[in-house]
Each structure stands twice: as C-alpha cells, then as structure tokens.
Amino acid sequence: MPQALRLRSVQVPNVMTKAIAIFDIDGVIRDVSGSYRRAIADTVEHFTTHAYRPTTLDIDHLKSEGVWNNDWEASQELIYRYWQTQGQSREQLQLSYEAIVTYFQSRYRGTDPENWNGYICHEPLLLQPSYLEQLTQAGIAWGFFSGATRGSANYVLEKRLGLKSPVLIAMEDAPGKPDPTGLFATIRLLEREIDKTSIIVYVGDTVGDMYTVEKARKLKPERTWIGVGVLPPHVHETAERRDAYSQTLQKAGAAIVLRNVQELTPEKILAL
C-alpha cells in the first residue's frame, strides 16, 4: 500500500500534540481557478444570456466581502447584480437557485453523475501527502474544514491525495463560513484522541476564512486561534495583484500570508 494511503489526520500514540492545523481546500489544497471559478463564470454568463462573464478580479471583489464562500450563492449574486445594472429588480427576476446549482454542477462535476468528467478532473494539487506526514511527525494534528461539497472534497482528499478517512467538515455538515460552527466541529473530531489545549491554526485563502477565525476567537476566547492566509494561484499573475490580495487577507485578520500552503512548515506553525 502506498505511503499516502496510510496517512491519517489523527496523531500516532504517545506523540504530544503541540498544535492543530485545519485547512480550507479550495485555493489551498487544490487550484480551483480553472474549475470552481471557471464554473462561476460559465454560470453567470449563461444566466445573463451571454451578456456578462465575470473576470477572476470580479469574483475576488465579491469574495472580499467575506460572505460569499458558497460558489452557488456567489454565482447567483453576480447574476442578480448584473441584471440590477440593467434596471431589473431581484423580485422581477425570480431566479431559480436550483437551476443555477444544476448548471454549475454540470460544468464543475460534468455530465456523468457516476464518473465525473467536468472541470474537477483537472485541478492541480497545491500540496503533497508528504507535507501532511511531516505535520504528523512533528506532533501537529490536521484536518479539513471546507465550503466544498463532501463529494468534491473527498474527490481531492481521498482519490487525488490518497488520504484514508481524513477528518473533514464539508458544506453539508455545517453552516457556511464565516460561521465558525464547522471549524469547531472539525476540532471536536480531532480532539477525540489529542490534547484539548493545543493552539489552533486555520489556513485559508479568502476573507471569509479569516473572518471565521475572528468569530471563533470571540466565541471561544479561552483558546488560541491563528489565521494563516495562503495566496491562491490565480493572484500570482502580477506582483501588484499578489500584494493587494495579501493586504486584503491581513486586514481580515491573517497573522501571516504565504505563497503556498507547504510554506507553513511545522517549525513555522510552532513559531506562531
């Protein structure tokens, strides 16, 4: 059995847990600029009768508001905002959310419900299983809290990365970010076998992710919460855009901002 298939997010016995690292998935574990974000653009274009296709910058601006973590809802909001510029009210439009989700999924997952053939099949990975093994060996527990559907999240974690039953809280399991309920649930799953006083690091690529950490800190101030920002691949096109995105994450509460998740070494986590 390959080494990757034996990786678990709980700690090995007798290793003192020094920290808990919880990861968002989209933009952190996998590059979704050519998948989720492309599906957003396709969906908005379709429901605006090909009059408007949002750019990656348009999508970034929307997500910087901190409440559009769900890409189906983000697509719907961009559609609404376009038609409002054309003089139509939201009440007049009567958009079908179910139709938006169905179209989005036909682009992202594809047309075959059994064997996915959509954009998801071509997402570049942003970390290697060996990175997670390094965390385990350093006494750092890890898991995942994502706004992606469980099917989509498990596709990358289990099928692509080869992880065995990773700790995961997905879209179906908790309210959307920045509500920290899912973050708390992930921690509870990890703490079944580890120390309950470890510092908690949440790694994400959006303002909503950093807001989630801020809300968790307010609700549970007895714990140590650290938000770590990761720059998603699509913002590396220019230094200006990279710097602007980094500043946005810092303003939202990120303690540090990294170019890639694997820069968050065990040493850096413990230094935080």
Side-chain angles (χ1 to χ4, degrees):
M1 181 182 294
Q3 177 66 25
L5 296 181
R6 297 201 296 270
L7 284 179
R8 299 291 297 272
S9 50
V10 296
Q11 293 303 122
V12 294
N14 302 320
V15 174
M16 181 178 178
T17 302
K18 302 168 184 174
I20 298 173
I22 300 175
F23 301 92
D24 182 30
I25 293 177
D26 302 334
V28 176
I29 306 299
R30 61 181 171 190
D31 179 0
V32 296
S33 56
S35 55
Y36 266 128
R37 284 172 174 264
R38 185 178 176 187
I40 290 175
D42 287 356
T43 303
V44 174
E45 185 176 45
H46 177 77
F47 285 92
T48 59
T49 62
H50 298 271
Y52 169 55
R53 182 178 180 86
T55 65
T56 57
L57 194 57
D58 293 335
I59 297 170
D60 280 348
H61 284 157
L62 181 74
K63 287 185 173 286
S64 71
E65 296 175 12
V67 294
W68 303 109
N69 188 67
N70 182 315
D71 287 336
W72 301 335
E73 294 177 356
S75 299
Q76 182 184 53
E77 183 63 18
L78 287 170
I79 295 166
Y80 271 133
R81 292 187 186 187
Y82 167 77
W83 285 116
Q84 283 180 304
T85 67
Q86 305 304 303
Q88 295 196 42
S89 68
R90 295 179 182 236
E91 292 72 23
Q92 287 175 309
L93 288 171
Q94 296 184 331
L95 288 175
S96 167
Y97 183 68
E98 291 73 19
I100 289 171
V101 172
T102 298
Y103 185 84
F104 184 104
Q105 294 295 76
S106 75
R107 311 301 290 174
Y108 180 66
R109 290 189 177 184
T111 54
D112 187 337
E114 300 299 325
N115 298 294
W116 293 353
N117 55 7
Y119 300 152
I120 189 174
C121 301
H122 309 290
E123 295 170 329
L125 297 177
L126 300 175
L127 63 68
Q128 297 301 316
S130 58
Y131 167 75
L132 298 172
E133 178 63 21
Q134 291 171 16
L135 297 184
T136 299
Q137 294 301 320
I140 298 170
W142 47 271
F144 304 91
F145 168 43
S146 171
T149 64
R150 179 162 286 273
S152 172
N154 276 330
Y155 182 89
V156 66
L157 297 179
E158 297 185 353
K159 185 171 182 177
R160 299 285 308 282
L161 283 172
L163 305 182
K164 182 181 178 181
S165 302
V167 167
L168 167 67
I169 295 295
M171 176 192 287
E172 299 91 336
D173 307 317
K177 292 178 277 188
D179 187 314
T181 301
L183 184 59
F184 296 153
T186 312
I187 294 164
R188 285 196 298 272
L189 290 174
L190 289 167
E191 286 183 334
R192 289 175 180 174
E193 302 183 33
I194 64 176
D195 176 40
K196 293 179 173 56
T197 61
S198 304
I199 67 166
I200 299 159
V201 178
Y202 186 51
V203 188
D205 71 315
T206 67
V207 167
D209 294 328
M210 299 305 105
Y211 283 175
T212 301
V213 177
E214 294 296 308
K215 288 179 178 289
R217 186 178 294 117
K218 291 178 181 178
L219 290 173
K220 295 184 181 293
E222 69 278 7
R223 301 297 296 262
T224 300
W225 304 89
I226 299 172
V228 172
V230 172
L231 297 174
H234 72 272
V235 305
H236 290 283
E237 295 172 357
T238 67
E240 180 182 8
R241 189 169 181 189
R242 183 174 63 245
D243 293 344
Y245 200 97
S246 179
Q247 290 174 12
T248 298
L249 291 178
Q250 289 173 328
K251 288 179 181 177
I256 57 172
V257 178
L258 306 173
R259 293 172 62 96
N260 175 269
V261 63
Q262 294 185 139
E263 292 180 4
L264 187 64
T265 61
E267 294 77 17
K268 190 164 291 186
I269 289 174
L270 298 179
L272 286 171

